[in-house]
Amino acid sequence: MDAATLDELRTLRARAYGPSADIEQDPAALQRLRELEASRDAPDAAVPDEPSEGRAHVEPTPAEARVLPPADDGAELFAIAESSETESDMPASALPRRPRRLSSRSVALWALSVLGAAALAAGLTYSLTSAPPVDASSGATQVDTLEPDPFIEVPAGWFGAGPSSMAFEYYGLTLFESTGGYTGALGTDCFAVVATEQMPELDADTNSWSMSGTMYSGCGAGAFPATVQFVVDSNAPQQLRDRFPSDSALQFVFDGSRIGVFLAPSES
């Protein structure tokens, strides 16, 4: 079968077995399809053998024309596989197969999965759009940057201080690295803030350690730095009250090596 005849056969098969089959309305085309398929199915149809002497020549029986089976409510589709190789050269396992229909249970499970995914996406979208935004910026101004003071020594063990803890001083306050668990805070890069006058002497007996003022502490958590903040009131050291007006809000932010001092804007 030459290339033109093979193309004609493929076209007629598409009209007979394809999703838009219409060959039943064209008797001439249907007859031509039967002839071409019969010639394909017959051995050596292109070059018939000469009958040998003493043996009657037997004409090959034409194969029955394959007619498109009736569709089941339009639910089945037939795939037409086109290839440069002829079907006679292809193994049986490589020939196109008709796809199996999905069971009603599979269709139901697929529909439920689609609905579930849509509901999850809708819920996530609602949660992201319905959360009222909160402004994380206080608008505070940085007024100072504290560097470690090597001349300040904090007794090891006093409120979590270590033998090599960094220490800072700021208007009557001593700020020093501490272990978070000791002061009640949890996290990393912890530090504590206490009035300098409450610091014990380095050679004092640890049994005599005491403090009557207020201690503040804070620790970092992930990307959030360790922070301590409070309002300057009558309990603050006099030096701090002289530096900042009463009821001023101060914030100390420790980045692991330095401490930034921030002053909140006045509410008046």
Side-chain angles (χ1 to χ4, degrees):
M1 184 176 288
D2 57 22
T5 306
L6 183 59
D7 289 341
E8 181 185 6
L9 175 60
R10 289 174 178 168
T11 302
L12 292 174
R13 282 180 170 175
R15 293 183 59 190
Y17 311 129
S20 302
D22 63 349
I23 201 168
E24 291 186 355
Q25 285 75 39
D26 190 346
L30 181 58
Q31 180 60 32
R32 178 61 175 163
L33 174 62
R34 290 173 177 169
E35 293 174 356
L36 293 177
E37 288 188 333
S39 65
R40 285 296 306 276
D41 295 336
D44 300 326
V47 184
D49 293 331
E50 292 292 336
S52 59
E53 296 181 0
R55 186 177 61 178
H57 176 69
V58 181
E59 293 291 338
T61 303
E64 294 184 358
R66 288 172 289 177
V67 182
L68 179 67
D72 184 8
D73 298 330
E76 295 186 11
L77 298 178
F78 296 85
I80 304 298
E82 295 189 1
S83 173
S84 58
E85 300 179 359
T86 61
E87 294 179 1
S88 60
D89 296 332
M90 297 173 63
S93 61
L95 294 177
R97 296 181 179 178
R98 190 173 62 188
R100 296 187 303 174
R101 294 184 59 189
L102 292 176
S103 66
S104 58
R105 181 173 180 272
S106 299
V107 173
L109 291 175
W110 174 81
L112 288 176
S113 66
V114 172
L115 291 176
L120 178 62
L124 180 60
T125 302
Y126 175 79
S127 64
L128 292 177
T129 57
S130 63
V134 176
D135 186 6
S137 174
S138 63
T141 302
Q142 183 171 352
V143 293
D144 283 304
T145 299
L146 309 183
E147 301 287 349
D149 189 337
F151 299 103
I152 301 175
E153 296 185 52
V154 181
W158 192 71
F159 287 103
S164 59
S165 291
M166 288 186 291
F168 311 79
E169 267 197 342
Y170 190 68
Y171 293 102
L173 297 175
T174 297
L175 305 88
F176 57 93
E177 287 183 295
S178 67
T179 56
Y182 193 91
T183 57
L186 298 175
T188 58
D189 293 331
C190 302
F191 75 108
V193 182
V194 65
T196 303
E197 62 183 16
Q198 298 294 328
M199 295 281 294
E201 297 293 334
L202 291 176
D203 56 354
D205 185 358
T206 57
N207 294 322
S208 66
W209 286 351
S210 64
M211 193 186 71
S212 59
T214 303
M215 170 175 284
Y216 304 95
S217 64
C219 294
F224 299 109
T227 303
V228 167
Q229 56 195 24
F230 56 85
V231 173
V232 178
D233 56 15
S234 58
N235 294 320
Q238 186 63 48
Q239 290 177 266
L240 192 66
R241 284 182 285 163
D242 293 341
R243 172 67 176 83
F244 298 101
S246 180
D247 296 332
S248 296
L250 293 177
Q251 184 181 67
F252 299 85
V253 180
F254 183 40
D255 67 359
S257 59
R258 297 179 301 179
I259 293 179
V261 183
F262 294 84
L263 174 66
S266 174
E267 297 182 356
S268 57

